[in-house]
DNA sequence: TACCTTTGTTTAAATTCTAAACTAAGGAAT
DNA sequence: ATTCCTTAGTTTAGAATTTAAACAAAGGTA
């Protein structure tokens, strides 16, 4: 049965972009819709996938076209396909989420969609389509994933202190302040951090700067998956 | 921009159905393709999604049409959309996975696709499309998820002993034999099991039969999510 | 009645976690 | 130059948890 016999839904890719600037909240990148359905409302960056591009590539392309933001960590989240979720007809959206450090990717503002802005995750405007639901799922996923995979590092600058890392975890998880100095022990014993220097010009004892060591991490993942280690990567917060 | 201006990919739903019969391996439900691309090869049950049905509903419909199996736990897995994954053109597949206890759902055999059979997960035939890749991801997901969500109960009969539950965990995770009698402690202290009787006519001390208590589980999930409890549900194997 | 098998409990030692006290390293204030 | 303040980082004792082994129980079978 060749495909052309079937009526086909439209397929879009949308991206929930989380940004972090060292503060006490996560940011979310939204665009203001310039055209037809939900015109003027805020929405996730995204658009129709092209016939010859991979889904993730499409998500990154739409993101760059609409916001100018590129070169970031992106991963598939979930596919939303309930009939009626888009007034234009049957539209299935393959939602992604992405993480970005705002000091690396400066104030996104661009292009063919009318407006682009970063919103605090806990002060979002009204959203088009079912995008509020998508964002909620992305947030849940981020919170769950950050506990057992080192994706948080995507939100920090290349070099960071343990204090900054802990503040990020507290921000993502919404916990006021946890585990005090035990956080340090747990993260360091995994061996996935590498010392790269010390802070300069701070009005207190300068902290050690660390960098995420991807090679060591991959090695640990392999050892765990082959059964050599069991708990090596639990930095369970 | 109305959707009809865009070329549209085809969208299918596929289902990785895991079955368990109390033995030492997991089974996988496959169909033998009766038509055009990959004719005669084994493949996942699935097909084109209809214009007015939800993705999960489509997965269940195709599954029942092609194999006769219905009424089971199903969840979205991942969406596969690489160009070229289907020789018929651009086909995006929203893959799902499902869990079923084989004593409840007897030998699936049916219908419009030519053949249906259960295969041992570690003795799979050559597979059509990128279905081997989909199965691999589903297996990884099942192994990961069974450690922190009680989805394993979907694979057991209504009433089961702790020995049976442990055997299931060992089968899913591929561990020869773990934790001996501590498994019991960890599962029981969560409170998600409810005693419903004892085994009959066995040539040894009869084991207590348990049933999964969904209400207690939901209650614990809520308490955890609201921060009251932290570790209540870690039955981390 | 003795024995076999599997279920289920108890417990002591080992390990890990928690939280507090303590030490260190800067700049800023005096 | 000295003291003070702030944040970084270490040590450690007590609490809690995990592990693994010994032990006890409950059938059927010989």
């Amino acid at each position: 049965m060749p495909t052309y016999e079937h009526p086909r839904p439209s397929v879009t890719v949308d991206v929930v972009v989380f940004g972090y600037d060292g503060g006490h909240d996560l940011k979310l990148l939204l665009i203001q819709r310039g055209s037809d359905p939900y015109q003027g409302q805020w929405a996730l960056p995204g658009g129709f996938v092209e016939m010859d591009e991979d889904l993730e590539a499409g998500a990154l392309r739409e993101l760059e076209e609409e916001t100018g933001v590129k070169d970031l960590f992106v991963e598939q989240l979930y596919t939303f396909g309930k009939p009626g979720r888009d007034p234009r007809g049957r539209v299935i959206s393959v939602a992604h989420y992405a993480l970005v450090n705002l000091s690396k990717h400066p104030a996104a503002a661009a292009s063919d969609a009318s407006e682009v802005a970063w919103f605090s995750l806990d002060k979002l405007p009204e959203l088009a389509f079912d995008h509020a639901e998508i964002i909620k799922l992305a947030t849940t996923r981020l919170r769950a994933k950050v506990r057992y995979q080192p994706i948080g590092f995507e939100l920090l600058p290349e070099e960071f202190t343990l204090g900054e890392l802990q503040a990020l975890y507290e921000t993502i998880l919404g916990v006021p302040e946890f585990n005090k100095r035990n956080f340090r022990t747990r993260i360091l014993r995994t061996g996935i951090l590498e010392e790269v220097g010390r802070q300069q010009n701070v009005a207190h004892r300068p902290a050690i700067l660390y960098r995420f060591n991807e090679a060591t991490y991959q090695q640990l993942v392999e050892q765990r998956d082959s059964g050599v280690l069991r708990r090596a990567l639990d930095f369970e917060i």
Side-chain angles (χ1 to χ4, degrees), chain A:
Chain A
M1 55 180 92
T3 57
Y4 48 74
E5 286 180 14
H6 293 262
R8 303 182 192 177
S10 298
V11 177
T12 62
V13 280
D14 292 320
V15 196
V16 181
V17 186
F18 293 102
Y20 184 62
D21 61 4
H24 291 294
D25 59 348
L26 285 175
K27 310 289 187 189
L28 208 59
L29 184 60
L30 298 176
I31 62 164
Q32 197 171 28
R33 289 188 57 82
S35 55
D36 199 358
Y38 297 98
Q39 177 166 8
Q41 285 219 39
W42 293 91
L44 295 172
F48 295 100
V49 70
E50 293 185 354
M51 290 303 272
D52 57 354
E53 79 186 345
D54 198 5
L55 299 171
E56 208 171 275
L60 289 172
R61 176 186 53 73
E62 286 285 353
L63 183 60
E64 184 176 356
E65 283 177 15
E66 295 187 343
T67 70
V69 175
K70 59 179 177 173
D71 297 329
L72 32 65
F73 171 91
V74 68
E75 208 166 74
Q76 197 184 109
L77 172 67
Y78 192 81
T79 298
F80 292 80
K82 203 180 301 176
R85 57 176 293 281
D86 189 313
R88 290 168 293 187
R90 185 70 192 277
V91 179
I92 292 172
S93 169
V94 183
H96 293 71
Y97 70 99
L99 303 178
V100 67
N101 167 31
L102 291 188
S103 64
K104 287 191 212 159
H105 296 253
S111 80
D112 57 348
S114 49
E115 283 287 341
V116 180
W118 289 98
F119 287 81
S120 171
L121 184 55
D122 28 54
K123 282 177 213 145
L124 295 179
E126 204 186 335
L127 288 151
F129 306 104
D130 52 0
H131 288 187
E133 190 189 341
I134 298 178
I135 291 167
K136 195 171 161 203
L137 184 68
T139 306
T140 304
R141 180 85 128 256
L142 174 64
R143 291 208 173 114
K145 202 142 190 174
V146 83
R147 284 173 174 269
Y148 65 91
Q149 259 188 40
I151 53 175
F153 301 102
E154 303 286 341
L155 291 167
L156 289 174
E158 203 65 38
E159 303 183 352
F160 49 86
T161 69
L162 287 181
E164 288 165 354
L165 183 60
Q166 177 167 352
L168 169 62
Y169 272 82
E170 289 167 356
T171 300
I172 294 179
L173 298 175
V175 188
E177 178 186 356
F178 54 55
N179 287 350
K180 301 253 178 197
R181 300 283 159 250
N182 298 324
F183 176 79
R184 168 184 316 274
T185 314
R186 284 208 265 253
I187 290 284
L188 287 182
R189 75 164 164 224
T190 64
I192 60 179
L193 294 189
E194 183 183 9
E195 292 192 20
V196 289
R198 290 194 96 88
Q199 274 183 326
Q200 303 288 331
N201 299 322
V202 284
H204 52 75
R205 176 173 178 174
I208 297 175
L209 291 170
Y210 293 91
R211 166 196 302 155
F212 174 58
N213 189 330
E214 172 111 36
T216 302
Y217 174 65
Q218 286 307 336
Q219 207 175 309
L220 285 171
V221 168
E222 279 162 34
Q223 290 184 354
R224 182 195 56 189
D225 293 349
S226 68
V228 180
L229 293 171
R230 252 183 38 77
R231 293 217 152 196
L233 282 170
D234 287 10
F235 43 90
E236 148 100 23
I237 304 308

